[in-house]
Amino acid sequence: MKKKITAVMVTAALTAAFAFTAFAGEWGSDEKGSWYKNDSGSYAREQMMVIDGVTYGFDQSAYMVNGWKQYDSKWYYFEPGAGNQVSGWKQVGDNWYYLNPNIGNVMQTSWQQIGAKLYYFQEDGSMVKAGTRFYVGGFAYDTDDTGAVKRNVTEEPGNGRILIYESDGRIKYKNDTLLTGNKAAGNDVYVYLTENNEAVKTDTATAINDAINDKKDELYEKYKEDVRSAANTKKFTDRQAKWEEKVRRQLTELSASAEDITAYILEVEYGQYGDSEWGNEEDNEEDNEWD
């Protein structure tokens, strides 16, 4: 930490030294802009200068800078019209920037801890906008409605997903459909959200597919128990309708497609699903109530 503080102090000192102080002189202007003439007769040119306690920027043609200007590989912003160097947060167009007052109002990029919040500024200095998912080093991050990176919270956005935001903002993902069918392994299935998200896609697809197949097996056993056992009885039609209704409801909850559900129902009812076909089973005479 001492080394970091020392580096900041040195950077600030160098930046301050780069902004010359004018002790006398006068302002002038023409149709192209404003300039500052020193008492020596020279003009402030391609430099920053403190005039009456305010820092201004001047370009190669000696005109006062309005807007962005790079000095010594660092970017600064000067208020259009007034010309004063901006410090702290600044909105330019639709974007927000941070001109760090601790290091001479230099435009910041990359990760920045400002107060208690963490922000990410892109290569052009613009802050990642509020409500945005972005990627750094392959990992996914989300911003809240203020533009700060979400940290130390857990969210359940729906569709069986749980998002855990770690202290550095990286996002861990859990697909709770893995828990369907009492899959104990589901308790430990967390993966980081990454730029390609292949791990998450695989995890999601596998989890949902496993859950659907397990539910189909469960519903098939229920069909044999409640419906097929009532074959050739007056109860058969009513039980089959209730079973179909249950199938459509429960498989839809697991994101099975309507086409897949219909195909499954037909396979079961025509004896093409499971361990046996209709023709291989004995008719149940016990509940035979046909007239």
Side-chain angles (χ1 to χ4, degrees):
M1 178 60 74
K2 183 177 180 182
K3 182 183 290 185
K4 182 177 180 181
I5 292 174
T6 301
V8 170
M9 292 176 64
V10 170
T11 302
L14 290 173
T15 303
F18 192 72
F20 298 95
T21 300
F23 297 100
E26 60 180 2
W27 285 95
S29 63
D30 59 21
E31 67 279 2
K32 293 183 179 180
S34 300
W35 68 79
Y36 188 80
K37 186 176 183 180
N38 297 303
D39 59 353
S40 64
S42 64
Y43 292 89
R45 188 186 305 272
E46 195 59 26
Q47 68 184 94
M48 291 185 291
M49 181 174 285
V50 179
I51 304 172
D52 296 329
V54 179
T55 301
Y56 298 88
F58 296 89
D59 63 19
Q60 187 62 43
S61 298
Y63 285 104
M64 183 186 77
V65 174
N66 291 280
W68 293 107
K69 176 65 176 172
Q70 187 178 42
Y71 293 109
D72 193 26
S73 302
K74 300 178 180 67
W75 284 97
Y76 302 84
Y77 189 80
F78 300 89
E79 194 66 49
N84 58 288
Q85 187 184 76
V86 175
S87 177
W89 286 101
K90 177 63 180 179
Q91 184 176 16
V92 181
D94 294 330
N95 296 313
W96 281 94
Y97 300 83
Y98 189 68
L99 297 309
N100 196 333
N102 295 319
I103 52 174
N105 304 323
V106 176
M107 183 195 79
Q108 298 298 280
T109 60
S110 191
W111 297 105
Q112 298 296 323
Q113 179 85 34
I114 303 174
K117 295 185 176 183
L118 181 66
Y119 299 88
Y120 189 80
F121 297 87
Q122 302 175 89
E123 290 185 6
D124 64 356
S126 61
M127 181 192 78
V128 173
K129 295 182 183 295
T132 298
R133 173 161 294 172
F134 64 101
Y135 301 90
V136 178
F139 290 100
Y141 300 84
D142 286 344
T143 57
D144 63 19
D145 57 5
T146 70
V149 176
K150 290 184 180 181
R151 298 186 294 164
N152 301 316
V153 295
T154 298
E155 295 183 356
E156 297 185 28
N159 298 324
R161 294 174 297 151
I162 299 175
L163 300 177
I164 300 173
Y165 296 88
E166 297 191 325
S167 59
D168 62 358
R170 289 187 299 173
I171 308 169
K172 273 190 171 181
Y173 166 94
K174 180 179 180 180
N175 181 356
D176 68 0
T177 59
L178 286 171
L179 300 177
T180 303
N182 298 318
K183 290 182 178 291
N187 293 319
D188 301 318
V189 179
Y190 287 87
V191 294
Y192 282 107
L193 282 180
T194 59
E195 191 163 8
N196 58 28
N197 279 339
E198 290 304 321
V200 174
K201 291 176 183 177
T202 300
D203 170 60
T204 304
T206 301
I208 292 176
N209 187 62
D210 286 350
I212 289 173
N213 288 335
D214 286 349
K215 181 58 67 174
K216 284 180 177 180
D217 289 343
E218 177 187 319
L219 290 166
Y220 174 64
E221 294 301 319
K222 195 67 174 174
Y223 182 86
K224 290 193 296 183
E225 178 184 341
D226 293 345
V227 183
R228 188 176 296 181
S229 64
N232 301 322
T233 73
K234 290 181 178 179
K235 298 177 182 179
F236 176 78
T237 301
D238 181 59
R239 289 188 181 184
Q240 180 169 270
K242 289 182 178 179
W243 178 82
E244 290 182 5
E245 180 183 356
K246 179 184 291 187
V247 168
R248 294 189 185 280
R249 183 180 70 254
Q250 293 189 2
L251 292 184
T252 297
E253 289 174 354
L254 293 175
S255 302
S257 67
E259 294 80 4
D260 182 42
I261 294 172
T262 298
Y264 166 72
I265 290 174
L266 292 175
E267 286 178 3
V268 172
E269 293 181 349
Y270 283 92
Q272 298 174 350
Y273 186 93
D275 53 12
S276 63
E277 299 185 0
W278 275 94
N280 295 328
E281 296 215 359
E282 298 291 335
D283 290 340
N284 189 311
E285 303 290 343
E286 184 177 335
D287 290 326
N288 195 332
E289 300 178 8
W290 291 104
D291 293 331

